[in-house]
Amino acid sequence: MKKIFLFITAFIVCLNFLPSLSSAASFEEELMSYFEDIDMSEEELNDFLEYFYDENIDSFSSVVELKEFLGEPINNDNLQKLIVEYQFKDEADLKDFLVENGEIDKEDNLNDVYRFINTLDETISFYIGT
């Protein structure tokens, strides 16, 4: 009887560890999909996070959290909203602002440097003081 009780207890303890193992595998699968969606490798995203935020992928517990942190990849729509929000005339005006503040070089492409709208937004906000 004691052996059966020990076996059942050991079985229950093992079951408690299975969800964490499957969620770790799920996180890795979601990350792989996310890398494809944003057209970046794990190393590139880690380098990006380190450069702009002194963080890395391991700092995030889920892809949802990572997506919320970074925001959408920069596209024409969200870039235009940001330009309007900060009252720049156009993308060239925004780029000149960033060049004047030493953030980018004149020949840099905003999408290549900032990649995500939240990163660009935070950079602009830093210099404007909002």
Side-chain angles (χ1 to χ4, degrees):
M1 189 64 150
K2 238 181 182 179
K3 288 182 182 182
I4 291 174
F5 177 74
L6 286 174
F7 176 76
I8 291 172
T9 304
F11 182 74
I12 291 171
V13 168
C14 287
L15 285 178
N16 285 331
F17 288 106
L18 288 178
S20 63
L21 293 175
S22 67
S23 69
S26 175
F27 180 59
E28 288 299 319
E29 289 171 8
E30 288 180 36
L31 268 178
M32 294 302 129
S33 177
Y34 185 56
F35 296 146
E36 288 177 25
D37 291 346
I38 62 173
D39 195 28
M40 292 177 86
S41 69
E42 181 174 1
E43 182 179 351
E44 290 170 327
L45 184 56
N46 262 326
D47 289 346
F48 179 88
L49 289 166
E50 180 68 34
Y51 179 80
F52 283 102
Y53 300 106
D54 198 28
E55 297 281 351
N56 62 48
I57 293 170
D58 295 334
S59 303
F60 300 90
S61 60
S62 71
V63 172
V64 169
E65 180 184 5
L66 182 59
K67 285 180 178 181
E68 287 174 359
F69 181 79
L70 292 171
E72 296 178 1
I74 294 173
N75 60 47
N76 193 49
D77 289 340
N78 60 26
L79 180 58
Q80 292 308 312
K81 286 178 185 173
L82 201 63
I83 288 169
V84 169
E85 178 183 339
Y86 286 104
Q87 301 175 353
F88 291 104
K89 290 180 236 165
D90 53 23
E91 185 174 343
D93 190 30
L94 168 57
K95 191 172 179 179
D96 288 342
F97 171 80
L98 294 168
V99 169
E100 288 170 17
N101 285 288
E103 280 295 316
I104 61 172
D105 293 326
K106 189 74 172 164
E107 64 275 356
D108 287 339
N109 180 304
L110 292 177
N111 293 6
D112 293 339
V113 175
Y114 294 99
R115 304 290 302 243
F116 300 93
I117 199 65
N118 287 358
T119 307
L120 180 56
D121 186 10
E122 291 167 10
T123 301
I124 296 167
S125 179
F126 175 79
Y127 288 104
I128 290 181
T130 58

